[in-house]
Amino acid sequence: MEALVIDLTHGGDLIAIELEKLKLFNTIYLYDIYGSLGKNKSLNKKKLSYQENHLKSFNIKILKNEDDLNKFKNKINADFKNEDLLITSPIHSPLKFHQIRPEKVDLKKIENNFNNFNNFYDDIDEFPPFKLDYTHHEIVKFILNYKLKNILNNIPIIEVTGVKGKSSTVNFLKNIFKDFNPLILSSLGAILYKNNKEYVLKKNISITPANIIETFNLASKIFNSKSNPLKTKSLKPKSLKLKSLKLKYSNTCLTLPKQNNSNHTNLNNLKELDTDYKIAIFESSLGTTGIGDIGVITNLIENYSIAKNTLTAKMAKKQAFNSKFVVIEDETFYKFYSNDLEIIERINNKKNILNTFKIDNYSLYSNKSYSNYLNTTSDIKIGNLTAKNIEISLESTKISFEYKNIQSISNKSLSGEFEIETYAPSMDYILNIINAITVALTMDISIKTIKKSFLSKYGLKGRSSHKQIGELNVIEEINPGLNVSSIKNSINGLKYLDGEYTIILGGEYGITCEEINEMELINYLDDFLNEFNESHYNDDDLKIVLVDELGKSIKSKLSHEILFFNDYNEAINLAIKNNKNILFIYRSNYSKLSKR
C-alpha cells in the first residue's frame, strides 16, 4: 500500500516520517504544495538541504511541484491500484482528495482486504472503521493510536480549538492542572511541567495537529530509552475508550506532588525525570484530532472560509465533537451547532456529553435570537456554568459563578456556587476563564484548586497581560491571529477601566494563514473616531496611534488623520511622555517583541 501526504508547510514532513516508522506502506510520498523546499526565502539553503535530506533518509519521495504531482497521479492504476493508496491533507487544503484519485473508491468492496486498517477504529460513530482519505487531524489520531496506545489510555487528554482564546484557555488549564505535571502544546510553546517547574521543550512551534506528535516526541527524548513511550512495541490500534475515573485517572486524582516554589528549571536537569506527566493539554488549529477525552471550542467569533471557500471554521472546529466530552461557549453552540442534526443526535444518544458556559446577560455575537433561546426550555442544558455579578477593574476583577448539572468524567452531576478574584480586564478574557473552569469541573477538580489557580493579577505574557511603567498601566494584547472582533473587544474593554488610554494598534502580516479583514477594521476605526469627535475629544488625547505594517496599510484608507510610527517603541514613548496609560494591540508572535 502507498501513502501520499499533502502539505509540507503544515506538518506534512513530520506526518510522513511517522507514517514511515509504522512500516505499513511500501512508499510514502510527500507533496510540497506550497513549495516550502524551494521558494521559502526565509530559510537558508543549508536548512532547506538538511530538511530535504532528512526526509530522504526515511526513503520519503518528495513531490516538489505540480509536474511531480501529475507524474504521481499517472502512477495510480498503473503502478498501484487506486484502492491501495492512502491520502492525507490538512482540512484547509485547497487540493481535494477527488482531484488526485482517478475515480471514487468503493470502500465496502475492499474493506476486508486490509487487516492493518479495518479494525483501527472500533467505534463506528467516531470514524468509519475503514477509510483511505484522512485529514491531518485524523491521521495524527491514526498514528498516535499505534504509537502511544498505552499513554492515551492512561492519562486524560484535553484538546482546545476555536477562533480566539485558545492559548489563554490552555494557560488557565495549565495553572489549574499544574500539580498533575501537565504536558502542554500551545502557541507559546511545547512545555512540560514537573513538580511545579516549567521545562520548555520547544519555544517556536505551531499548533498544527502534527505538532501534537512532535510534543510527545520532544517529551520522550528527555527520558531514558526504557521509559520512552515512542520506542515501545507498537500496539494493535483501537479507538480510545474513556475509562471510569477510578480506572483511568486513579494516578492523577489521589496524591499530588509537593509544591516547589521555583518556577523554571534548565532542561539539563530533566535527565533524572520519569515520564510521569499525568495529563496532556493540546491547543490545535482548525479542529481537534479526537484523541482528547474533552474537546473544547472557545468560540467562533469569525466563521471564516477555508479550503478555497469550500469549508468554514465552523465545519473544521466541529471535529471537537469527536471527543466524548465537549465544552463550548453556550451562544457559540446555539449559533453554529444547535441545528446540526448529527450533533444533536449524538448528544441525545449520550455519545457526546455537552457542558456549556456563558456570561449572564451578555451576547458574544450580539444575537437577538439567543435571548429568546435562553428563555425557552430545551433537552440540551443551557449555560451549565454562568458568570455573573462581574466587577471589572485593572487590578482585580470579581466574578461570581453558578454551575448547574455539569456532567463530569466520573458520571457525577455537579451544581454549586463560588467566587474568584483575579486579573480579567475584559469580557473576552473572562470567557476564557469560564471556559477553563468548565473543563476543570468536568474533570472533577475541586473548587479550592480552581480558585487557587487564579491568584495571578498580571495575565498571560504573550497574550493579554498587564504591567506598569512607573504609575502608568500598560495592557498588552499581542496575538498572531489578531482579528477585528478581538480588536473591538479589547478597545470596548477600556470603558470598564479608569484613566486615559492611548491605543497603539498595528502589527505584521503573514503571521498566520488567516489575514486580518482590513476594510472591516477601517470601518470600525472610523466609527470609533467619529464617536470621539462627537464627544469633543481633542487630538492631544492621542486616542489611537498606528504602527508597523498593519498600521501603515490602513492609515491611508481611514477618513481620519491618525499618527503613525514605523517603530511601535516610538508610539509607546510618546504615550508615556504624555502621561497616558497604554492599550497595546499588536498582531505578532510574542517572541519577536520580548526585548522591548
Side-chain angles (χ1 to χ4, degrees):
M1 190 168 190
E2 318 300 310
L4 171 64
V5 181
I6 297 170
D7 196 343
L8 186 148
T9 305
H10 294 97
D13 51 346
L14 177 59
I15 289 172
I17 290 170
E18 293 295 333
L19 286 175
E20 171 61 27
K21 290 178 182 178
L22 297 182
K23 302 303 179 185
L24 295 173
F25 303 94
N26 296 322
T27 308
I28 307 290
Y29 297 86
L30 174 60
Y31 178 37
D32 186 13
I33 186 172
Y34 297 113
S36 300
L37 289 175
K39 296 180 180 178
N40 194 334
K41 297 179 181 179
S42 64
L43 298 177
N44 59 49
K45 290 183 179 180
K46 288 185 178 180
K47 187 171 182 179
L48 290 172
S49 177
Y50 170 80
Q51 187 178 21
E52 187 170 350
N53 289 335
H54 182 61
L55 289 165
K56 288 181 178 179
S57 71
F58 286 92
N59 297 315
I60 292 168
K61 306 297 183 183
I62 303 172
L63 311 178
K64 293 186 177 181
N65 49 49
E66 196 169 342
D67 287 340
D68 287 349
L69 180 65
N70 288 331
K71 291 177 184 177
F72 171 81
K73 289 162 70 173
N74 291 333
K75 290 176 176 285
I76 303 175
N77 288 336
D79 294 357
F80 52 83
K81 295 179 180 179
N82 185 27
E83 57 265 31
D84 289 339
L85 173 64
L86 179 146
I87 305 175
T88 178
S89 69
I91 193 168
H92 64 278
S93 176
L95 183 62
K96 303 302 180 185
F97 300 119
H98 68 82
Q99 294 175 284
I100 297 173
R101 295 190 183 280
E103 67 273 334
K104 188 175 181 180
V105 178
D106 188 344
L107 296 179
K108 291 183 179 179
K109 290 183 179 180
I110 63 173
E111 178 178 346
N112 294 329
N113 295 331
F114 294 91
N115 294 326
N116 286 326
F117 299 97
N118 62 1
N119 290 322
F120 180 70
Y121 291 113
D122 59 7
D123 183 355
I124 195 169
D125 295 301
E126 184 171 3
F127 284 115
F130 174 79
K131 61 187 299 180
L132 288 173
D133 297 335
Y134 290 78
T135 67
H136 277 194
H137 290 86
E138 292 170 340
I139 205 69
V140 165
K141 179 173 181 175
F142 180 104
I143 293 166
L144 289 175
N145 267 285
Y146 262 87
K147 286 288 190 179
L148 293 178
K149 178 78 172 181
N150 53 332
I151 297 294
L152 300 186
N153 273 354
N154 286 284
I155 66 167
I157 297 175
I158 300 166
E159 293 189 274
V160 180
T161 191
V163 174
K164 294 300 163 197
K166 298 185 294 294
S167 296
S168 295
T169 300
V170 169
N171 182 67
F172 295 141
L173 289 171
K174 176 263 294 182
N175 291 337
I176 292 170
F177 291 102
K178 64 182 178 181
D179 290 332
F180 297 82
N181 299 335
L183 177 65
I184 306 283
L185 170 66
S186 82
S187 333
L188 301 177
I191 302 169
L192 177 65
Y193 289 85
K194 172 71 174 181
N195 295 339
N196 208 24
K197 295 179 182 179
E198 179 182 284
Y199 302 89
V200 178
L201 306 177
K202 189 173 183 180
K203 190 172 183 180
N204 295 316
I205 184 170
S206 74
I207 55 172
T208 192
N211 279 332
I212 293 176
I213 302 175
E214 176 71 353
T215 300
F216 277 122
N217 286 349
L218 290 167
S220 72
K221 286 178 182 177
I222 61 176
F223 305 120
N224 61 59
S225 59
K226 290 182 179 180
S227 61
N228 185 337
L230 292 181
K231 292 186 179 180
T232 57
K233 186 178 179 180
S234 295
L235 300 173
K236 184 177 180 180
K238 290 186 178 180
S239 64
L240 176 65
K241 289 293 186 181
L242 186 63
K243 304 295 193 301
S244 68
L245 179 66
K246 290 183 180 179
L247 289 175
K248 183 170 184 181
Y249 305 113
S250 58
N251 292 330
T252 69
C253 293
L254 297 178
T255 305
L256 297 179
K258 294 181 179 179
Q259 296 289 328
N260 190 312
N261 293 328
S262 176
N263 292 321
H264 301 278
T265 299
N266 192 291
L267 265 177
N268 294 330
N269 296 331
L270 275 174
K271 295 177 181 178
E272 299 178 1
L273 298 181
D274 299 319
T275 51
D276 60 352
Y277 48 86
K278 293 182 173 65
I279 188 169
I281 305 168
F282 300 128
E283 176 185 351
S284 186
S285 58
L286 291 173
T288 63
T289 67
I291 63 169
D293 303 292
I294 302 178
V296 181
I297 300 177
T298 57
N299 56 63
L300 279 161
I301 56 175
E302 288 192 359
N303 187 26
Y304 49 82
S305 297
I306 58 174
K308 285 191 174 179
N309 298 317
T310 60
L311 295 173
T312 62
K314 160 193 166 180
M315 299 163 74
K317 313 297 183 184
K318 181 181 173 180
Q319 294 177 103
F321 287 86
N322 288 328
S323 294
K324 175 70 173 180
F325 288 83
V326 179
V327 171
I328 182 172
E329 194 273 329
D330 193 71
E331 189 179 1
T332 300
F333 176 79
Y334 163 73
K335 181 177 175 66
F336 296 102
Y337 300 114
S338 62
N339 292 318
D340 188 312
L341 297 180
E342 179 187 5
I343 288 177
I344 298 303
E345 182 179 1
R346 287 181 64 87
I347 293 171
N348 289 336
N349 293 332
K350 306 300 182 184
K351 292 171 182 175
N352 280 132
I353 297 175
L354 184 71
N355 287 323
T356 69
F357 59 92
K358 66 184 181 74
I359 296 175
D360 196 28
N361 296 318
Y362 175 79
S363 173
L364 182 59
Y365 304 94
S366 300
N367 193 335
K368 293 181 180 180
S369 61
Y370 178 62
S371 299
N372 298 328
Y373 168 70
L374 293 176
N375 293 324
T376 63
T377 57
S378 173
D379 292 336
I380 299 171
K381 297 177 178 64
I382 299 171
N384 299 89
L385 179 66
T386 302
K388 52 180 61 177
N389 302 324
I390 298 170
E391 299 177 17
I392 295 180
S393 73
L394 191 56
E395 290 72 26
S396 185
T397 293
K398 295 180 181 179
I399 312 171
S400 298
F401 292 98
E402 180 181 6
Y403 56 102
K404 295 180 180 179
N405 303 317
I406 285 184
Q407 304 302 304
S408 77
I409 58 172
S410 59
N411 296 319
K412 296 177 183 176
S413 182
L414 307 176
S415 299
E417 297 180 353
F418 65 99
E419 295 181 351
I420 66 170
E421 191 170 343
T422 188
Y423 173 82
S426 68
M427 290 300 189
D428 276 3
Y429 201 89
I430 292 170
L431 279 170
N432 296 333
I433 290 173
I434 310 170
N435 191 351
I437 291 176
T438 307
V439 174
L441 291 171
T442 304
M443 290 289 296
D444 284 302
I445 299 299
S446 70
I447 298 300
K448 181 179 179 181
T449 299
I450 291 171
K451 293 176 73 170
K452 183 180 177 182
S453 71
F454 286 99
L455 296 178
S456 171
K457 296 184 179 180
Y458 295 99
L460 173 60
K461 185 178 181 181
R463 284 299 184 266
S464 180
S465 60
H466 167 229
K467 65 182 181 181
Q468 285 191 296
I469 300 176
E471 295 183 356
L472 298 176
N473 292 305
V474 179
I475 301 173
E476 294 180 335
E477 299 285 355
I478 303 170
N479 195 319
L482 194 71
N483 62 17
V484 179
S485 295
S486 52
I487 291 172
K488 289 180 183 179
N489 291 329
S490 295
I491 293 175
N492 290 340
L494 292 179
K495 66 184 179 183
Y496 298 106
L497 306 178
D498 296 327
E500 295 182 351
Y501 279 80
T502 291
I503 301 165
I504 299 175
L505 171 62
E508 303 166 327
Y509 288 100
I511 305 300
T512 63
C513 295
E514 294 80 37
E515 295 294 1
I516 197 164
N517 187 326
E518 273 196 9
M519 288 311 301
E520 185 182 353
L521 177 59
I522 289 164
N523 291 334
Y524 166 73
L525 291 177
D526 273 331
D527 290 343
F528 175 80
L529 292 167
N530 285 335
E531 289 181 15
F532 269 90
N533 288 337
E534 291 172 5
S535 302
H536 307 292
Y537 276 73
N538 298 317
D539 290 339
D540 293 338
D541 287 320
L542 293 174
K543 296 173 290 293
I544 297 179
V545 179
L546 300 175
V547 296
D548 214 327
E549 294 176 351
L550 175 59
K552 185 176 182 179
S553 180
I554 64 177
K555 174 180 167 55
S556 61
K557 302 168 188 174
L558 285 166
S559 59
H560 294 76
E561 280 295 323
I562 295 185
L563 201 59
F564 167 79
F565 293 101
N566 282 312
D567 186 348
Y568 58 82
N569 283 301
E570 293 183 48
I572 292 173
N573 291 334
L574 181 61
I576 294 172
K577 180 181 177 181
N578 284 272
N579 201 35
K580 303 289 185 182
N581 298 305
I582 297 171
L583 173 59
F584 184 72
I585 306 174
Y586 198 85
R587 192 175 195 270
S588 176
N589 291 320
Y590 190 83
S591 59
K592 295 184 179 180
L593 298 173
S594 58
K595 295 182 180 180
R596 72 179 178 282

